Amino acid sequence: MAWYKVLERVELSQPFIKKVNAGGKNVCLINYNKQVFALSASCPHAGADLSQGWCSEERLVCPRHRYEYDLQTGKGAPGQNDYVKTYNVKVEGTDVYVEITRWTDRLKNWIT
Ligand code: FES
């Protein structure tokens, strides 16, 4: 696992939804109610860019068909039967990091 710095000198008092790259993955970074969340940027329904969506009641809403995903768990709203991948986030000062598990880490865990 590795931490990737995805934002520098960010103003965390302002809400935002941005697409960032962390270790080669497109990640949707969301600052909602002064808490930062990281989810896969690709909607599992039909691949829309979730960073073009918006937040409603602790959920990220997809801009294409309005499916909704929990910011903490990535679970789809009841009845959707899907989810988006979530990533760990840490904030150090005004810098934001996202943790990505590389395939080599998964391979090491699988072998040992
Ligand atoms: S592409 Fe996201 S809900 Fe359909």
Side-chain angles (χ1 to χ4, degrees):
M1 290 179 271
W3 289 95
Y4 293 89
K5 186 189 284 188
V6 292
L7 290 178
E8 291 181 314
R9 294 181 295 279
V10 66
E11 181 55 62
L12 293 171
S13 63
Q14 300 296 316
F16 61 75
I17 301 176
K18 297 175 186 278
K19 183 158 64 176
V20 297
N21 185 290
K25 298 201 179 290
N26 286 324
V27 173
C28 182
L29 202 64
I30 301 140
N31 181 6
Y32 182 76
N33 284 344
K34 297 184 180 151
Q35 191 173 355
V36 183
F37 303 92
L39 290 76
S40 170
S42 178
C43 180
H45 178 236
D49 181 358
L50 288 171
S51 69
Q52 299 298 307
W54 60 92
C55 289
S56 174
E57 298 179 11
E58 307 278 329
R59 288 187 179 152
L60 178 61
V61 182
C62 178
R64 191 172 296 168
H65 306 111
R66 302 190 181 198
Y67 279 25
E68 298 180 4
Y69 299 95
D70 186 281
L71 292 175
Q72 304 244 3
T73 66
K75 273 183 73 172
Q80 287 180 203
N81 298 318
D82 63 356
Y83 68 94
V84 290
K85 182 163 181 49
T86 59
Y87 300 97
N88 292 326
V89 176
K90 71 178 175 184
V91 177
E92 291 184 356
T94 57
D95 297 338
V96 180
Y97 297 80
V98 172
E99 186 181 40
I100 300 292
T101 303
R102 296 172 293 199
W103 70 269
T104 51
D105 297 325
R106 287 195 297 271
L107 184 62
K108 279 183 208 161
N109 289 340
W110 185 72
I111 292 170
T112 57

